[in-house]
């Protein structure tokens, strides 16, 4: 596995708790940790540079919703980030209804 994510702390914790954990289970857990990350940008300009060929949307943290440009919440919620729409959809987020 060519990853910077180390499985050793997970294995040590599992053994310390007296749990028998198969290496495959640890590898699956690590892949889920890596795939759960959605890259967010601080500014819309940064996102436009990083999302070439894709629309920039505003992800509201703490929910599975994103807001498109023109929405009254685009870039306005207390916690959120600019993200690429296709990446957001791939992570299970959906466009706001209004």
């Amino acid at each position: 596995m060519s990853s910077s994510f180390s499985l050793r702390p997970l294995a040590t914790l599992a053994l310390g708790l007296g749990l028998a954990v198969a290496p495959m289970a640890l590898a699956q857990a690590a892949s889920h940790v890596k795939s759960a990350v959605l890259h967010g940008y601080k500014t819309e300009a940064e996102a436009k540079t990083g999302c070439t060929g894709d629309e920039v949307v505003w992800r509201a943290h703490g929910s599975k919703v994103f807001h498109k440009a023109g929405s009254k919440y685009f870039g306005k919620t207390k916690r959120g980030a600019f993200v690429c729409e296709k990446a957001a959809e791939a992570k299970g987020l959906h466009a706001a209804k209004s």
Side-chain angles (χ1 to χ4, degrees):
M1 181 191 291
S2 62
S3 172
S4 61
F5 183 81
S6 173
L7 297 176
R8 180 165 279 151
L10 293 173
T12 303
L13 175 64
L15 292 174
L17 295 174
L19 302 174
V21 179
M24 185 55 110
L26 289 174
Q28 287 175 340
S31 71
H32 288 298
V33 169
K34 286 183 73 177
S35 67
V37 177
L38 178 62
H39 183 74
Y41 299 92
K42 290 183 179 185
T43 68
E44 186 178 5
E46 287 177 359
K48 284 182 179 179
T49 301
C51 299
T52 53
D54 195 5
E55 187 176 344
V56 174
V57 296
W58 177 257
R59 178 206 177 175
H61 289 297
S63 74
K64 294 274 189 179
V65 174
F66 63 79
H67 304 277
K68 294 187 175 199
S71 162
K72 68 178 182 178
Y73 298 109
F74 183 74
K76 302 291 185 195
T77 61
K78 285 185 181 181
R79 292 184 14 232
F82 294 99
V83 297
C84 305
E85 183 176 18
K86 290 177 187 171
E89 289 174 339
K91 297 298 180 189
L93 278 67
H94 59 88
K97 293 181 181 177
S98 56

